[in-house]
Every structure is written in C-alpha cells, then in structure tokens.
Amino acid sequence: MIVQIKPTTKQYLAWQYWLDSTTRFIFFGGGAGGGKTWHICEKRLYEAYAYPGIRSFIGRKELKRLMQSTFITWTKVCAFHQIPKDDWWLDGKYNVIHFKNGSTIDLLDLDFQPSDPEYQRFGSLEYTNGDIEEAGEVQFKSFDVLKSRVGRHRNEEFGLLPKIGLTANPDKNWLYTLFYKPWKAGTLPGQYAFIQALYDDNPFTREVYGKQLAELTDKVTRQRLMYGVWEYESTDSLMDFDALTDLFTNPIADQGEKFLICDAARFGGDHIVYTLWRGLPQRHRRP
C-alpha cells in the first residue's frame, strides 16, 4: 500500500524536517487550525506502510481526549486515503493500533501520576519514533523520558533517526522556553525545529476556521489561537513571563543596593508588614 501525501506548504516543511538526517524534535503548530493532527496521522500512516514492523506512538495528556480527538482524525485520514478496513485494527484493551504488516502505533496516556513521578512506566518501552499531541498540556518530564525510548526498534534497519514530533498551541510553558523563544531569537539548536502553522496556512479549512476563531470574545484566547501570539500577558500580571524564566540566569549585580521582595503578610497578618516596615532605615521606607 502506497500512501500519497499532498501536504500544505507548512506540512511539507514539517515533512522535510522529519525526513532529514539531523533534526530530531519537530514542533509543528503554534496556532489553531493549521492541520497539526491531520499531519501527525498521515505521518503515522505513511510510516506504518513504508517501514513494515516499526513501533511508534501517539501520546497526549489524557487517553480519553486522545481517543475523542486524535483517533477520530485518524479514522478520517484512513478513509480519505481509502485504506482497506482490514489493514489495521484497534486493540482497545492495550490501546494499540495494529497493521497486518506488523507495524504498531501505541496510544499513550502521558498524564502525571503521583505514584509514578519519574514516568518509569515508559522505561522499558522501545519505539522507532513517535508524536506528542498538545504537548503543552504534558509535563516536560514525559517528553524527556520518551526521548530516551525512541531509536530502539528497527531504526538501523531502515536508517531512521530517533525522532519525536510535537503539536501545541501557544502557551507559557516549556515549549515556549525550549522551542519558540530560541526560534524567534535565531538560536534554536540544529536538532530542534519549529514550524508555526496558523489557520490561514491550511487552505482546506481556513475559511470556516477563520470565521470561528474571529468570533472568540476573549482577546488573549483569540490572539493565541488565531494569530499564534506567544507573548501575551495577563492583565493582572505583576511581572512579565520572560523575566520569570530568566530568574535563574540573570547576572548578579556586584554593586549598588540589593532588595528582597517577599510576601510577609502570611495568612493576612498585616501587623507583620507594619513591624518590618518600622524596622527599616528611614531611607528605605515606602508608604
């Protein structure tokens, strides 16, 4: 079976990174409606046929949401490419998609579990490669552990690098620090790639999706999902996000006055603040 892919321009760029010999972690998305999930499903389908017997995965924070979204798109992709119904089947007990040629796709629940803070449940798994849907919802630790689990199943036989694809919408999380901010600054390491795909990059859905996104009443949500804005700020923020992320890398001043900011009025004890204020030298007091 040969799967004929006709990607959008941004999906084609993501394919180029996926097929090259250097990039290992490809973040595709950064906005709603850019064809993220469709791209992942086509990629899994293509590779399942192109490399018989490989073992890959698609993960999301909650397996239930994965089945309600990504798996539904998967069935649409298979129908679009006219995949014979007996070529693959879902093992609902173990959450695995099986192909007749031996390829498999594990559907993983990546949610944090207090009983497994180190994600040891993935420690013995061996994958060729895989994808994480809505990666901003999961903890960085899950991505970090899965990085060590790819490249362990028939990669040398097929000449495949251990790669992980990721999708997400803009948010202030580890993807911002690891991918977006270095990409914007032009300092993204060579083994990482970020392709920003917005609703108007997808000619198949841009008209309908554009109207839906334009109707969002919350300004921040609309800026994030429609225009791919990462640098949004909440109106009640006391400190911008970049300053917080740089907290442990800022150089320490060798001279000048130093200040400590703390919430001294713990549990509403305002008398504590007054006592501290009275104890300060006059020149440091602020009303």
Side-chain angles (χ1 to χ4, degrees):
M1 181 74 184
I2 299 177
V3 181
Q4 298 288 346
I5 306 296
K6 296 181 180 179
T8 67
T9 301
K10 291 297 181 69
Q11 288 174 343
Y12 177 77
L13 182 57
W15 272 106
Q16 294 299 104
Y17 282 118
W18 187 261
L19 298 174
D20 71 18
S21 59
T22 55
T23 315
R24 289 193 55 206
F25 310 109
I26 301 95
F27 177 15
F28 178 72
K36 303 186 295 292
T37 302
W38 190 275
H39 168 67
I40 278 184
C41 291
E42 280 196 327
K43 183 170 61 178
R44 292 289 115 242
L45 183 63
Y46 166 80
E47 291 202 329
Y49 281 111
Y51 311 110
I54 67 167
R55 188 183 186 195
S56 61
F57 68 84
I58 301 176
R60 188 169 177 173
K61 180 181 179 181
E62 298 173 15
L63 180 62
K64 179 179 179 180
R65 295 169 68 187
L66 181 81
M67 299 304 297
Q68 291 175 338
S69 58
T70 308
F71 184 73
I72 299 302
T73 301
W74 167 264
T75 61
K76 293 178 181 179
V77 168
C78 289
F80 176 81
H81 289 285
Q82 299 181 343
I83 304 300
K85 293 184 178 180
D86 60 348
D87 260 21
W88 69 272
W89 63 94
L90 173 67
D91 181 342
K93 181 179 180 180
Y94 296 103
N95 305 309
V96 181
I97 296 174
H98 291 271
F99 286 80
K100 286 198 305 185
N101 66 4
S103 295
T104 60
I105 305 171
D106 283 11
L107 305 177
L108 300 180
D109 187 322
L110 305 182
D111 199 10
F112 173 79
Q113 298 178 7
S115 60
D116 183 26
E118 298 300 317
Y119 292 87
Q120 295 184 28
R121 61 187 184 274
F122 302 140
S124 61
L125 301 179
E126 296 184 349
Y127 292 113
T128 310
N129 50 35
D131 294 279
I132 301 176
E133 273 270 69
E134 300 298 340
E137 298 176 351
V138 306
Q139 291 195 0
F140 171 77
K141 186 74 173 182
S142 64
F143 169 64
D144 210 28
V145 171
L146 286 172
K147 287 193 302 183
S148 69
R149 309 321 307 163
V150 294
R152 292 173 171 267
H153 187 75
R154 308 189 71 173
N155 290 74
E156 291 187 8
E157 177 182 347
F158 293 115
L160 298 174
L161 283 183
K163 299 197 176 196
I164 294 179
L166 307 97
T167 71
N169 294 318
D171 206 348
K172 296 298 181 65
N173 50 41
W174 57 274
L175 292 170
Y176 175 87
T177 305
L178 187 62
F179 284 91
Y180 177 77
K181 191 176 178 182
W183 171 78
K184 187 177 180 182
T187 59
L188 193 63
Q191 62 180 357
Y192 290 83
F194 172 58
I195 305 98
Q196 180 162 274
L198 306 179
Y199 78 95
D200 55 355
D201 291 315
N202 188 349
F204 304 105
T205 59
R206 66 163 63 116
E207 183 175 353
V208 174
Y209 222 95
K211 291 179 180 179
Q212 293 175 328
L213 292 172
E215 292 173 353
L216 291 171
T217 55
D218 181 73
K219 181 180 178 181
V220 170
T221 302
R222 187 170 64 253
Q223 290 289 316
R224 287 177 53 242
L225 301 184
M226 188 170 189
Y227 302 112
V229 176
W230 291 74
E231 295 85 356
Y232 65 88
E233 294 295 340
S234 174
T235 56
D236 58 357
S237 296
L238 295 177
M239 187 177 298
D240 65 66
F241 184 76
D242 280 351
L244 290 174
T245 57
D246 290 339
L247 181 64
F248 299 102
T249 58
N250 285 337
I252 300 175
D254 294 330
Q255 56 186 2
E257 292 184 321
K258 296 178 175 61
F259 298 88
L260 174 66
I261 301 174
C262 62
D263 180 9
R266 192 162 184 254
F267 302 123
D270 293 336
H271 64 283
I272 300 175
V273 175
Y274 178 74
T275 303
L276 289 174
W277 181 78
R278 286 291 301 270
L280 290 172
Q282 186 67 36
R283 63 191 180 91
H284 287 314
R285 293 184 184 181
R286 297 290 186 273

